Amino acid sequence: MTGVCEVYQRAERAVSRVVDGETVIVQPGQGMVSITNEVGSYVWDLLDGNRAVPRIVDDVCDAFDVERPRAQEDILAFIGELRTHQLIVPCATGCSHD
Amino acid sequence: MIDRAPEWSHDEDPYQRVLRKTYERRIPFTVHWELTYRCDWSCRHCYADRNGLANELTLDEITDVMNQLAAAGSLFLTFTGGDPLMRKDIREILSEANGRQFALRLMTNGARIDEAMANHLATLNLLGIDISLYAMTPEIHDAITGVSGSHAAVLRGLALCREHGLPLTIKCPLMQLNLKEYRPVADFAAQIGAGFVFDYLLIPTDADHHPMREIGLTDEQMYEFLRDKVSVEGGGRPEPPAPDDPVCGAGSNAVAVNPYGDVYPCLGYREKVGNIREQRFADIWSSPHLDQLHAARYRDYVNCQECAYISCCSRCPGISRAECGRPFDAAPTVCRVAAATKRAVDECLLRAVI
């Protein structure tokens, strides 16, 4: 379960490169995955261990002019997928980071 | 947001799709970098040119080129040689590469991996370490390397890597000398949890260096080896390439750099297209010669279109250039391999029908 107030950072072993707008991520021992659009790549960049999910949602809303409830739903689902693939790890809990 | 939700790739294996994309966009996604031609071994099949050893790129030059490669979109970076561990600054080079988010591999003979080096390697984020082991019989391995005791040294290196949990692959090029060692080395790799890669196509660099002709498997040995392999692993008849299929990624999404900064389309295609001491990488990468390679299609192998072995042919412009002087001629070595492969596949398919 992905908590709305958690702070995540990219897994230490995950390396990535933007290829023609697509973020390609390789994690030794786990193969390659990719994030295929601009919004996903933007969120990936924000998962630096310094922002809780609500701030990421705010940043995405500002950058892409989208409505907050839908943005939060989509971003939480996306973060859930990244967690499933062990590409991000929770590093703190609580929105006090913001 | 519906059409702008963060999108996750749902294809089972994005690797091939991303490779196609980097090919089409001409992104140098895969880099092989020969850091030095120095090596403790003198392997009989090795193509490394030992001339001009003193003029290797410095650490500063290497980090500058890494920056240029990262900016160009390179992700997979393999350091090879010679033995990269011969360089005194290898730890710094590896650490700098790690810091630039490359998916990093190291190819080494393993003989110089001691406790301190294994400790350092374990601090890095390595995709893999490829170590050369030619035989489980020490005398055969040492006969190929030309160095007595090299077998014991590589086994020590492998053991240390294993103790430190490093991701190992054992590489074993096959020649007449070590053909019978194939199974024992493969079993050993499985036993220590390492990957295993073999190859019977020994790369010629020019007419003067042709290990395949001198020490490579004979046609009959290749056929027998492939027949046994196909009969164990199975598989159907390979499809022939279409005339519009690209030939390979050399100069399109793959590139190679030598210890002195010369840039090649790939390790097997040894035609210098520039030097990174004289030009920025981006300028070399946009050279007309590479455009020509990128535009190459299978139909450019004019003499191969009606060949009976076409479905089993692993065409290689680098080998064609080394053997024939032109990248799209039928290279005798590649033809030999294709003929042996076709014969093995046909026999196994026939057996399956009977």
Side-chain angles (χ1 to χ4, degrees), chain B residues 298-306 328:
Chain B
Y298 193 74
R299 62 174 172 272
D300 294 322
Y301 286 87
V302 175
N303 297 326
C304 301
Q305 301 301 309
E306 304 300 322
F328 307 115

Side-chain angles (χ1 to χ4, degrees), chain B residues 333-348:
Chain B
T333 294
V334 176
C335 296
R336 281 180 55 207
V337 174
T341 308
K342 177 78 165 41
R343 196 175 150 207
V345 168
D346 284 351
E347 181 172 324
C348 290

Side-chain angles (χ1 to χ4, degrees), chain A residues 1-92:
Chain A
M1 181 77 182
T2 303
V4 73
C5 281
E6 283 185 325
V7 179
Y8 296 93
Q9 64 183 14
R10 296 182 289 274
E12 201 181 342
R13 292 175 62 79
V15 294
S16 63
R17 199 70 83 215
V18 177
V19 177
D20 194 33
E22 177 173 358
T23 299
V24 178
I25 307 163
V26 174
Q27 177 142 248
Q30 305 215 19
M32 178 196 282
V33 294
S34 73
I35 299 166
T36 56
N37 71 351
E38 193 186 357
V39 183
S41 294
Y42 187 82
V43 173
W44 172 253
D45 279 343
L46 295 180
L47 292 164
D48 57 4
N50 293 317
R51 299 165 172 84
V53 173
R55 187 164 149 210
I56 292 176
V57 173
D58 289 344
D59 286 351
V60 168
C61 290
D62 289 346
F64 295 95
D65 190 24
V66 292
E67 291 176 9
R68 200 171 197 291
R70 188 58 196 258
Q72 177 165 307
E73 187 184 326
D74 288 342
I75 288 167
L76 283 175
F78 182 63
I79 286 175
E81 293 221 55
L82 292 170
R83 282 196 71 174
T84 302
H85 285 78
Q86 300 175 329
L87 291 169
I88 55 172
V89 290
C91 56

Side-chain angles (χ1 to χ4, degrees), chain B residues 306-340:
Chain B
E306 304 300 322
C307 178
Y309 313 135
I310 193 168
S311 58
C312 296
C313 179
S314 58
R315 60 209 179 272
C316 170
I319 295 179
S320 291
R321 182 184 166 275
E323 287 196 319
C324 315
R326 289 180 298 274
F328 307 115
D329 276 7
T333 294
V334 176
C335 296
R336 281 180 55 207
V337 174

Side-chain angles (χ1 to χ4, degrees), chain B residues 89-136:
Chain B
D89 52 5
I90 186 62
R91 293 178 192 206
E92 289 82 1
I93 292 171
L94 290 168
S95 297
E96 293 287 348
N98 229 171
R100 286 164 175 78
Q101 293 271 302
F102 287 107
L104 195 57
R105 292 193 83 87
L106 175 66
M107 292 185 178
T108 170
N109 64 28
R112 285 187 167 242
I113 296 177
D114 56 14
E115 182 69 35
M117 179 56 74
N119 268 326
H120 180 69
L121 294 174
T123 67
L124 301 167
N125 184 23
L126 289 169
L127 198 58
I129 302 178
D130 296 353
I131 291 185
S132 309
L133 176 65
Y134 306 132
M136 293 314 295

Side-chain angles (χ1 to χ4, degrees), chain B residues 61 76 95 179 185 196 253 304 338:
Chain B
E61 287 172 321
F76 291 96
S95 297
L179 178 57
V185 176
F196 177 65
N253 58 7
C304 301

Side-chain angles (χ1 to χ4, degrees), chain B residues 158-285:
Chain B
L158 280 165
L160 280 166
C161 288
R162 195 179 167 208
E163 280 169 26
H164 286 77
L166 293 165
L168 283 173
T169 295
I170 289 178
K171 295 188 81 171
C172 182
L174 293 176
M175 316 161 219
Q176 294 185 32
L177 261 171
N178 69 341
L179 178 57
K180 289 188 176 157
E181 297 284 320
Y182 164 76
R183 183 47 57 197
V185 176
D187 290 345
F188 174 70
Q191 184 193 323
I192 66 168
F196 177 65
V197 175
F198 70 93
D199 198 353
Y200 42 83
L201 188 55
L202 309 176
I203 296 178
T205 47
D206 52 46
D208 294 333
H209 177 80
H210 205 303
M212 190 76 191
R213 209 153 44 204
E214 291 147 17
I215 54 172
L217 303 188
T218 65
D219 292 356
E220 199 60 22
Q221 284 172 327
M222 244 187 300
Y223 156 70
E224 286 173 9
F225 171 77
L226 287 165
R227 182 196 57 199
D228 295 345
K229 189 169 173 297
V230 174
S231 66
V232 170
E233 294 175 6
R237 186 179 296 283
E239 288 293 317
D244 287 336
D245 281 353
V247 176
C248 72
S252 293
N253 58 7
V255 68
V257 183
N258 85 354
Y260 321 115
D262 290 341
V263 176
Y264 302 100
C266 96
L267 285 184
Y269 195 111
R270 312 290 295 189
E271 183 173 15
K272 178 181 166 182
V273 290
N275 184 287
I276 48 181
R277 280 179 165 141
E278 297 159 7
Q279 287 172 277
R280 303 292 293 170
F281 176 79
D283 295 330
I284 298 171
W285 189 243

